[in-house]
Every structure is written in C-alpha cells, then in structure tokens.
Amino acid sequence: ALALGAAAAQAQVAVSDTDGNGTFSIEEMTAAYPDMSASLFAEIDVDGSGEIDADELQAARENGQIG
C-alpha cells in the first residue's frame, strides 16, 4: 500500500505559482489542469478569496475534484 501511495503522490500535477504570491489563480490552475472551469475553481476556492491556497489545493486532491 505504501508503494501505491507514493506512486499516486508522484502522479499529482504540479501547479506553478508563476507570480510568486503564495496562492494559485485561475490562470495558474488552468495551466496545470486544462479542464479547470470557473465553477470548479469556485468549488475549490472554499474561502471565496479568488485564489487557491495550499490547503484548498490539497483538499481538492483528497476529495477527487482534481487529479
């Protein structure tokens, strides 16, 4: 099970914080996930800040919203 977990973790898409502000914009998320839609971004952006933070990104991965 450990090997499977490690493989799954390595398979995660890396999101690049291109502007270096510590969060991910819809543009940055779309660059990593081409199927990203405004509605999916809004679902992931739990606090409604207009940016995805590391906790929201991790939660979205754990919830299966993104790969």
Side-chain angles (χ1 to χ4, degrees):
L2 272 179
L4 184 61
Q10 290 173 350
Q12 286 185 344
V13 173
V15 182
S16 296
D17 179 20
T18 53
D19 62 7
N21 70 347
T23 57
F24 306 111
S25 66
I26 191 165
E27 292 83 8
E28 291 163 340
M29 290 294 290
T30 303
Y33 298 98
D35 293 337
M36 180 64 54
S37 64
S39 59
L40 178 57
F41 184 88
E43 285 178 35
I44 297 168
D45 181 23
V46 175
D47 65 5
S49 66
E51 298 276 323
I52 304 295
D53 64 29
D55 291 338
E56 290 168 334
L57 182 60
Q58 185 59 39
R61 287 176 170 155
E62 289 173 1
N63 294 337
Q65 291 170 292
I66 55 175

